[in-house]
Amino acid sequence: EHPAVVLQRRVGPDGAAQCYVHYTNLDRRLDEWVPEASLGEEVNVPKTRDRRRRGERRSASKIDDGTSGAFMEDTGQSSRKRAKSEHAHFHEITKVRNVERVQLGKHEIDCWYYSPYPGKFGSASKLYICERTFKYFDNPKSYERFLATATQGAKPPGREIYHDTERSICVFEFDGAEQVLFGQNLCLFGKLFIEHKTLSYDPTPFFFYVLYEVDRDGYHPVGYFSKEKESKEQYNLACIVSLPPYQRKGYGKFIISLSYEVTKRRGE
């Protein structure tokens, strides 16, 4: 038995009460739904009180779903208060993982964290993801119909900047301002495996570098990193993701090394 905090309750498919728990001092990827009846004594059920004014609650309910990359313009103290209120509300709802697993090519992957997929996709227990476009579907039939009409074996969006025939890997670079939808889909997917308090879903300020394994069936995404076009701190990367099926293969180190090489070649 490990100390835990209850974040949310629901009624399960069998009609029994379930609780979504976070285990104290452990990574949130271990959070899970458990039967309420199984909870031990070391479980904290926090009491929350919403003291926000009606207008603030209404504003918080209109948080962008993450697909448009909208930003609030700070026009004064009231805007700052509203932004702070919305951020707190967003942080609260993102504590609970919304998508349990994804199908990416031949891999079925358990998700780790919340990602703001829009509408019904954000409440689907499983999403089906296209390896080439990262387009998402909530049922296998729609996914299979899309794959049947897609160009099989086509190269991913962007420009190939690295190819290793011995390791059968390659890297594609794309500008988020030129591939907006692809960038948004990639960010939504990546958020399932990285825990950030804040994460921008507007891809236009970034370059993206996606690492693929290549075989006769096509290109299979392994991981990626993003890099700000203009970084005041001169960071090599803004975000890095190494997908679970491809971890412990040295790809994480490769992606980090690549980020340094890109920075060097750009003369930054």
Side-chain angles (χ1 to χ4, degrees):
E1 184 173 304
H2 190 91
V5 177
V6 174
L7 300 179
Q8 197 174 101
R9 282 189 172 90
R10 73 180 183 187
V11 177
D14 58 354
Q18 297 179 338
C19 292
Y20 190 83
V21 298
H22 167 63
Y23 298 104
T24 308
N25 297 325
L26 296 183
D27 194 288
R28 288 195 177 276
R29 75 180 67 177
L30 301 176
D31 295 359
E32 61 179 345
W33 288 100
V34 299
E36 187 174 37
S38 69
L39 297 180
E41 296 181 356
E42 294 190 73
V43 175
N44 178 32
V45 183
K47 295 181 179 179
T48 58
R49 296 179 61 188
D50 189 356
R51 298 181 178 180
R52 291 174 291 171
R53 293 188 299 273
R54 182 180 301 173
E56 290 178 325
R57 290 197 298 270
R58 184 165 56 246
S59 174
S61 69
K62 296 180 180 179
I63 292 176
D64 176 57
D65 63 16
T67 61
S68 64
F71 290 91
M72 178 180 296
E73 182 181 358
D74 187 1
T75 57
Q77 186 176 5
S78 61
S79 294
R80 288 192 292 272
K81 287 183 178 179
R82 185 167 63 252
K84 184 177 180 180
S85 174
E86 291 185 351
H87 175 76
H89 176 72
F90 181 78
H91 180 63
E92 187 67 25
I93 64 175
T94 59
K95 287 182 179 180
V96 178
R97 182 173 56 246
N98 54 335
V99 179
E100 289 298 324
R101 61 189 62 85
V102 292
Q103 187 74 41
L104 181 71
K106 64 181 180 180
H107 298 289
E108 184 177 66
I109 312 171
D110 290 332
C111 302
W112 293 350
Y113 306 111
Y114 173 94
S115 182
Y117 278 96
K120 63 179 181 178
F121 303 101
S123 58
S125 60
K126 181 176 179 178
L127 291 178
Y128 301 82
I129 310 295
C130 171
E131 287 187 296
R132 181 178 176 273
T133 65
F134 289 95
K135 184 176 175 62
Y136 43 90
F137 303 85
D138 64 341
N139 67 80
K141 290 185 178 180
S142 297
Y143 174 64
E144 290 167 3
R145 283 198 300 267
F146 174 80
L147 293 182
T149 59
T151 304
Q152 299 298 324
K155 287 188 175 182
R159 178 174 66 96
E160 187 175 31
I161 63 169
Y162 178 88
H163 195 107
D164 186 333
T165 54
E166 291 186 2
R167 298 179 63 185
S168 298
I169 60 174
C170 65
V171 177
F172 278 77
E173 174 196 63
F174 74 91
D175 186 334
E178 296 177 358
Q179 301 284 347
V180 177
L181 182 59
F182 180 67
Q184 290 175 344
N185 289 344
L186 180 61
C187 288
L188 284 169
F189 180 73
K191 181 62 184 70
L192 294 169
F193 306 101
I194 50 177
E195 184 179 24
H196 278 248
K197 290 184 178 179
T198 57
L199 184 65
S200 172
Y201 295 94
D202 176 13
T204 57
F206 300 94
F207 290 113
F208 293 83
Y209 301 84
V210 187
L211 173 63
Y212 296 89
E213 283 189 351
V214 186
D215 59 23
R216 61 183 181 181
D217 294 323
Y219 295 80
H220 310 288
V222 168
Y224 76 91
F225 78 91
S226 60
K227 178 179 177 62
E228 288 184 285
K229 296 175 183 177
E230 296 182 8
S231 174
K232 295 180 180 179
E233 296 83 4
Q234 296 184 331
Y235 291 145
N236 289 310
L237 49 82
C239 170
I240 179 172
V241 178
S242 180
L243 298 179
Y246 301 97
Q247 292 181 358
R248 302 184 184 277
K249 293 185 176 183
Y251 287 136
K253 292 181 179 179
F254 174 83
I255 293 174
I256 293 174
S257 298
L258 178 66
S259 73
Y260 281 102
E261 185 64 25
V262 168
T263 297
K264 184 174 68 175
R265 296 201 176 196
R266 287 184 176 275
E268 300 173 359

